[in-house]
Amino acid sequence: MSFSPLTSRLIEALTCLPGVGPKSAQRMALHLLDRDRKGGEKLAQTLQLAMDNIGRCQRCRNFSESDVCQTCTKTSRDASLLCVVETPADVIALDQSGGFRGYYFLLLGHLSPIDGIGPEEIGAPLLDQRLAEGEVKEMVIATGTTVEGEATAHYLSEMARRHGVVASRIAHGVPMGGDLEYVDSNTLSLALKGRKRLE
């Protein structure tokens, strides 16, 4: 069965979403056209509004409709703590944990010379400027544990040292409730390196 040209375009457009292949996109498109036109219209309007009005915070680089995001304008946070993460999803995860009350800075990726991602692309000049202001006393580096994530963490720790800022790395290791026999060797190695003294 062949679809009309516009239906085919809608299906193709939906495949831009992560994890949505041609079959899933087809199911979504047919659902909107056949059963939820109002939902489709609301989705289209909201999507257009978001694309037109959501930019980046000039302070932390997170998504924001204004020059400075809501998180950066909260005075209840600890200005001496800055957590550097790779993605907006990382900010949400850390905030929901309730374990961090400082501010954030988003790299929007990690250093990867092979892919042409250098210091400029991860916002290093803006971060450098923020550290130079002197308010940040500790920078918590929460990048991934990939080779690129580790290289990025090293680069950031050197930047922090140049400004007299303490650089720390989030701990990696055995999850709560996990049995050692089921944990991979890299995770165990990180857990051993990050061990701490019991008081």
Side-chain angles (χ1 to χ4, degrees), residues 73-88:
T73 56
K74 285 184 181 171
T75 55
S76 58
R77 289 185 170 266
D78 185 350
S80 69
L81 286 173
L82 182 68
C83 185
V84 181
V85 297
E86 292 184 14
T87 69

Side-chain angles (χ1 to χ4, degrees), residues 91-190:
V91 171
I92 293 167
L94 287 167
D95 245 18
Q96 287 177 343
S97 76
F100 183 74
R101 299 306 309 150
Y103 291 97
Y104 296 97
F105 185 87
L106 283 82
L107 302 172
L108 305 176
H110 48 244
L111 293 173
S112 180
I114 291 174
D115 298 317
I117 301 171
E120 288 282 333
E121 287 73 25
I122 64 169
L126 182 60
L127 178 58
D128 195 55
Q129 179 185 336
R130 188 152 176 192
L131 296 178
E133 292 170 4
E135 204 170 21
V136 176
K137 303 301 178 208
E138 180 184 356
M139 184 167 77
V140 181
I141 302 168
T143 55
T145 55
T146 60
V147 172
E148 293 88 354
E150 291 297 329
T152 304
H154 177 73
Y155 174 83
L156 295 173
S157 66
E158 292 297 315
M159 180 190 291
R161 282 190 196 98
R162 284 197 306 272
H163 290 284
V165 173
V166 173
S168 60
R169 185 91 164 97
I170 59 167
H172 304 287
V174 182
M176 289 295 289
D179 292 322
L180 293 184
E181 64 182 298
Y182 301 114
V183 177
D184 66 274
S185 58
N186 285 337
T187 302
L188 281 174
S189 175
L190 287 168

